[in-house]
Amino acid sequence: MAKPTILIVDDEADLVELVSLTLARMNLATESAGDLASARRIMGERRFDLCLADMRLPDGDGLDLVAWIQQHQPSLPVAVISAHGNVESAVRALKLGAFDFVTKPLDLGVLRRLVAVAIRLGDSSGAGETTRLGPQLLGASQAMGELRALIARVARSQAPVHISGESGTGKELVARLIHAGGARRDGPFVAVNCGAIPTELMESELFGHKRGSFTGAVSDKRGLVQSAEGGTLFLDEVADLPLHMQVKLLRVIQEKSVRPIGEQREQPIDVRVLSATHKSLAALVASGRFREDLYYRINVIEIRVPALREHAGDIPELAATMLRRLGRRLGNEAPALGPEALSALGAYGFPGNVRELENILERALTLSTSEHISVGDLQLREGAGAAAGAAAAPGGAALGDQLENIERDAIIKALEQTRYNKTAAARLLGMTFRALRYKVKKLGIE
Ligand SMILES: Nc1ncnc2c1ncn2[C@@H]1O[C@H](COP(=O)(O)OP(=O)(O)OP(=O)(O)O)[C@@H](O)[C@H]1O
Ligand SMILES: [Mg+2]
């Protein structure tokens, strides 16, 4: 097989030579072009595996080249070399479709990693991708079709992506699919819930610390950021990141470096940053609780995941797949949805989106006594019709917890009353034996 070939577009002979030598050591071939016009000509003559373009060229702008490649050779990954401190233009390049950037003066380690990722990108396009098993975005609606196409497109880039959408719409699923569809798929996917880490532990958890850097730091600790090296860092509920952590995150994205607590020097880091929140980052920026510069860096590409009521046509397919999955997990066949149940779901507003659909079906499965799930089994919330859905407040999780506690208490009581005879306890509770067995398992009752 021929060596992968990289086109370097730059008018600085020193830089071209440095890059060529570095890539030659990686067993890669290079060619160079000194300006935009010759770059376009060479690309018209032969195929490359990667184009590395300087942002400032004698006859124009590196951005023009990025745009040209998107139009004429969209499958060719292009990365830009930008002047130190000029992150604005790097961000613009990413928005135009560049897959990554390096800053001058060149850090050769960073360059090598970028190139390695880009080459893998070329390898993986095509066969193999669809044969990989894993979670899938279901739904034949136009909205889901567009979302799948967008995921496929951003998966080929290294640009930070911000995923917005209401609770339970599938934001984390989208993040996993971006990771699984891209060149970092064999690297780690590290999901961090920024709202779940106590503020005082946050810096150490995220960025690590050196032994002895504070009382209790008995050994070196790797941060979650470092554990995503070579892969993807998914910052969930990124709106909850305190301001001083936002500064450090900015450096991870912008300088591709990180400094653990107590460490003197910054360390290079190679992670792709994806983030999500159900809050409005723009509003948080306006009120000063989220840094504007970080907002622009993590939001280079935004994906908005639609609410379930916006693609209600997918409900039957989603429901059927989930019931099948739930049935498999319980080791028996799950009942199907009756026609009235199906139309009730179609009219429901789903303030909790796909996650709520899952929960409703799981509960219905427990309650159902026949081979069909009835409207009653669904126990849809009053006042959460399609119209009310948009306005419904979050807080479903807390309610869910309360309900679980009530259920748990009732089941334990019934079991005690019947001396742990499940058949009798089920009768007492007015549920089937199967339903009780399922609940006991689910609620973790011993
Ligand atoms: N289109 C879809 N196809 C299949 N499953 C989906 C789809 N959308 C969401 N799901 C499923 O719905 C559940 C909730 O999704 P996920 O956890 O990604 O949502 P989220 O937006 O991150 O929610 P939250 O805001 O509560 O964190 C998951 O089990 C996910 O797999
Ligand atoms: Mg989530």
Side-chain angles (χ1 to χ4, degrees), residues 171-172 234 236-237 355:
K171 296 187 293 297
E172 177 158 354
F234 174 51
D236 204 356
E237 300 308 343
R355 186 193 308 290

Side-chain angles (χ1 to χ4, degrees), residues 166-173 193 234 236-237 276-278 355:
E166 292 177 16
S167 283
T169 45
K171 296 187 293 297
E172 177 158 354
L173 177 61
N193 186 339
F234 174 51
D236 204 356
E237 300 308 343
T277 178
H278 63 277
R355 186 193 308 290

